[in-house]
Amino acid sequence: MKYELGDRVKIKKHWKREPLPYNLDEMLEEQHDEIAGCGIKFDKYLKTQCNEEGFICGARSLKTSTTLSYEYHDAIDVGVGMIPEKEGVEQLDSEHVNIYLVATRMNCLRKVSKEDLEFISEWGK
């Protein structure tokens, strides 16, 4: 079932933001040799249980996790100039899911996957 704007739904789980470690750069730099080429996976959002009702107010794509690595690249001559050397944290890949935005209160939007929604009624009914 595809939900429309204004549909009233019940939420079983929603995506909650997980903060990245505050010392991420130092941690990746310390483990530079061990994680070279593979990186470390970080979850940006995790699902948490809830029991709320709300209204569909949008749809988005959400990056749920990412793989970060500490990389060093030498300078490269491309013929018309130089690409400077670069050292630092780089994103290797990421995972995305399609979600619905559900307004549960006047100041609260929940990010919810389709499988975690239960249809209650259409707008105005």
Side-chain angles (χ1 to χ4, degrees), residues 34-125:
E34 299 152 17
I35 63 171
C38 62
I40 297 177
K41 182 177 178 180
F42 291 101
D43 292 323
K44 292 182 72 173
Y45 288 89
L46 294 175
K47 282 190 177 182
T48 59
Q49 295 284 342
C50 70
N51 186 15
E52 296 180 322
E53 291 183 8
F55 294 93
I56 301 289
C57 61
R60 301 283 187 277
S61 178
L62 181 70
K63 183 192 300 185
T64 58
S65 66
T66 184
T67 303
L68 300 176
S69 179
Y70 192 86
E71 301 287 327
Y72 175 78
H73 300 287
D74 288 326
I76 301 172
D77 185 8
V78 292
V80 294
M82 292 284 289
I83 297 177
E85 67 179 42
K86 182 180 178 211
E87 182 177 5
V89 177
E90 286 188 11
Q91 177 179 316
L92 300 180
D93 65 356
S94 60
E95 294 177 12
H96 298 261
V97 295
N98 291 325
I99 55 117
Y100 285 98
L101 295 175
V102 180
T104 57
R105 297 184 297 272
M106 289 298 284
N107 64 348
C108 184
L109 287 178
R110 298 283 191 208
K111 297 167 179 73
V112 185
S113 296
K114 186 175 183 177
E115 62 269 9
D116 298 321
L117 291 174
E118 183 180 316
F119 180 79
I120 295 177
S121 66
E122 291 180 9
W123 173 257
K125 293 186 179 181

